[in-house]
Amino acid sequence: MNRYFKTMRLFWTTSLAAEMEYRTNFLISSFTSLGNLAGSIFLIHLIFQRVPEIEGWSFDQSLLVMGFFTMLGGVANTVLRVNLSRIVQHVREGTMDFILLKPIDSQFHLSVRRFISWGIPDIAYGILIVLYAGMRLGLGPLEYAAALLPLAAGLVTLYSLWFMLGATSIWFVKVHNVTYVLSNLLAAGRFPIALYPVAMRLFFTFIVPVAFLTTVPAQAMLGRADWLWLIGAAVFAAVAFLASRMFWHFALRHYTSASS
Amino acid sequence: MKSFAHKLRTITGVQYAALLEYRAEMVLWVAGTVLPFILMGVWMTASAKADLVLQPVEMARYFFATFVVRNMTLVWVVWEFEQQVVKGTLSHWLLQPMDPVWRHFAEHLAERFVRLPILVVIGVVFFAVYPDALWTPGLWDIPIALAAIVLTFIMRFSVQYTFAMLSFWTERAHAIEQLWALPYLFLSGMVAPLALYPQAVQQVLVYTPFPYLIWYPAQKVLGLPTAAGSVEVTLGMAVGVMAFWTLVFILANRLLWRIGIRRYSAMGA
């Protein structure tokens, strides 16, 4: 286990060192994130301009959901997107062979090899919004703690979904189109799930589980989450993670290397 | 002039044939532009709860129109041009007796025709699921909507092709396009109809290019003059503002092209 932590630290420090070459990128992306944040808050303000609450959600409570969304988006940009798009590249160029030969779990290697700093501003802004909204709602440390479990579950779910999609590149080389669709669908997580019509709510809970990613953590913070939802989120995450591992091993049996 | 039209038609035809190979992927690319439907859901719920100028069914129509406009005016030339400069493949195009812009333009034009059938299918499904949102356009609405979409596309293409010129100076010209994408997202009417913005904001916005990228053509698709509560934009003013910005960007573009091409030295040259 210790070996894995050490390897991860090495992976990330070398990635960061390589990225230091492009410091302006980081500046530009933190500026873009800031603009995006201002726009998103403005949008929520527009939605709530004439009503104090919609379907049981107020402006501040929706801000909480937006905070979690920004945070998860940041994580996706820092580690998920870069690493999983590399799976496709490895399959296409045949360099996957080298990874399979390494004395370390291949799923681990593929998932954490790279680390990109552009997502960090989003993670920071997300945390700031959650803190700000929490302050306006008068939430205490216990309430913040309540969000941790569903947030972790949401992260694991997001990762597993993304990894499974990436793993399908063993068969279909052009999966980045599918990840493009997925990341656009995930944009629905900006708003509390209750703000959608019923059909969309079902879709974003059971087919693309956006509800578990951002709405459930916010509900947990507001003390509104049923135990059933929390257990549901945890079980969902565990199942998704196991499924991603099983799927990866299944996919590897079909890997035939390039040019063979 | 006749021979130029002929050339443009030929390269558009070639591009169309090439893009048709990717029709399965095109379905996914269109599916990736679901944002209007997500926002439609939220705004329909919100307008059912409060008086938001537009009724839920009008919200549904508006966001469907933004979906059509966005898909018909999509531009990606900055990414392609940047690659051409970075990898040096621009040189091949420079040898041809035609400005590279026309090849890019033809590719975008051809792509519209591959995309259109998918939009029609989505439209049929949408109105089958939600028949109340269906509306009957007037006789003149269709040519006006088409003209608005064409003008919007030309403006958006000119803007992005101007950003593309910066590739001669930096390797990441698309970063500026990503900055531009922010007002394009939040101030164009993509995330909310202009009528819901504060009056003062609307007054300023109608002189910028942004509302003419989504909101204005969407209103024309719906055959609406200007929605209640939003600022009045006459046809003349819309054409004037769009022509102004398009010209400004085309002039800047030609200037940057002349200076930039002298700086350009292909990879390995």
Side-chain angles (χ1 to χ4, degrees), chain A residues 6-24:
Chain A
K6 223 191 252 167
T7 321
M8 190 156 95
R9 212 183 57 221
L10 280 173
F11 279 160
W12 288 7
T13 41
T14 48
S15 278
L16 262 184
E19 235 192 280
M20 282 302 174
E21 292 270 331
Y22 308 98
R23 279 177 296 258
T24 17

Side-chain angles (χ1 to χ4, degrees), chain A residues 94-112:
Chain A
T95 44
M96 182 71 87
D97 300 8
F98 306 131
I99 286 161
L100 295 177
L101 286 172
K102 287 196 168 67
I104 199 163
D105 186 76
S106 56
Q107 180 173 1
F108 171 79
H109 186 287
L110 288 169
S111 304
V112 301

Side-chain angles (χ1 to χ4, degrees), chain A residues 25 49-51 55 177 184 195, chain B residues 25 29 32 45 50-51 172:
Chain A
N25 284 356
Q49 60 182 328
R50 303 214 179 132
V51 272
E55 299 289 335
N177 292 313
N184 280 298
L195 258 56
Chain B
E25 278 169 288
W29 293 336
T45 314
D51 176 29
R172 272 173 50 96

Side-chain angles (χ1 to χ4, degrees), chain A residues 88-168:
Chain A
V88 186
Q89 204 184 328
H90 285 310
V91 172
R92 199 175 49 213
E93 294 174 3
T95 44
M96 182 71 87
D97 300 8
F98 306 131
I99 286 161
L100 295 177
L101 286 172
K102 287 196 168 67
I104 199 163
D105 186 76
S106 56
Q107 180 173 1
F108 171 79
H109 186 287
L110 288 169
S111 304
V112 301
R113 176 65 190 88
R114 305 245 298 177
F115 176 92
I116 284 210
S117 65
W118 312 342
I120 294 175
D122 272 331
I123 300 178
Y125 296 146
I127 293 172
L128 281 178
I129 297 180
V130 170
L131 287 176
Y132 173 72
M135 208 173 69
R136 289 182 46 132
L137 290 162
L139 301 179
L142 260 165
E143 276 96 353
Y144 285 103
L148 289 179
L149 171 77
L151 191 63
L155 272 173
V156 173
T157 309
L158 185 65
Y159 159 76
S160 310
L161 267 181
W162 217 308
F163 187 80
M164 276 191 276
L165 263 183
T168 56

Side-chain angles (χ1 to χ4, degrees), chain B residues 17-85:
Chain B
L19 281 162
L20 215 51
E21 286 274 319
Y22 297 94
R23 56 194 178 273
E25 278 169 288
M26 188 70 78
V27 173
L28 292 175
W29 293 336
V30 174
T33 57
V34 288
L35 185 69
F37 292 104
I38 291 172
L39 290 158
M40 181 192 290
V42 171
W43 279 110
M44 280 173 75
T45 314
S47 61
K49 293 282 170 240
D51 176 29
L52 285 175
V53 188
L54 282 84
Q55 296 301 311
V57 62
E58 291 170 315
M59 286 288 187
R61 278 179 202 152
Y62 177 79
F63 283 101
F64 181 77
T66 66
F67 169 76
V68 173
V69 169
R70 187 164 163 229
N71 269 288
M72 292 315 283
T73 58
L74 222 65
V75 176
W76 59 88
V77 66
V78 67
W79 282 272
E80 287 208 343
F81 193 86
E82 183 186 272
Q83 283 303 304
Q84 284 185 313
V85 172

Side-chain angles (χ1 to χ4, degrees), chain B residues 65 69 135 137 140-149 214-226 233-235 238:
Chain B
V69 169
W135 76 94
W140 284 103
D141 292 348
I142 294 168
I144 291 179
L146 266 177
I149 288 177
I214 296 282
W215 172 77
Y216 186 76
Q219 293 288 35
K220 294 297 123 184
V221 167
L222 296 173
L224 297 173
T226 33
V233 177
T234 60
L235 202 64

Side-chain angles (χ1 to χ4, degrees), chain A residues 25 31-32 35-36 39-40 42-43 46-47 49-51 54-55 174 177 180-181 184-185 188 191 195-197 200, chain B residues 22 25 28-29 32 34 37-38 41-43 45-46 49-51 53 172 175 178-179 182 186 191-192 196-197:
Chain A
N25 284 356
F31 186 73
T32 319
N36 213 336
S40 304
F42 179 60
L43 175 59
L46 285 182
I47 294 173
Q49 60 182 328
R50 303 214 179 132
V51 272
I54 301 170
E55 299 289 335
K174 284 182 168 168
N177 292 313
Y180 167 70
V181 176
N184 280 298
L185 281 173
F191 306 106
L195 258 56
Y196 294 100
M200 283 171 97
Chain B
Y22 297 94
E25 278 169 288
L28 292 175
W29 293 336
V34 288
F37 292 104
I38 291 172
V42 171
W43 279 110
T45 314
K49 293 282 170 240
D51 176 29
V53 188
R172 272 173 50 96
Q178 282 167 342
L179 271 184
L182 284 175
F186 293 109
V191 294
L196 298 178
Y197 286 66

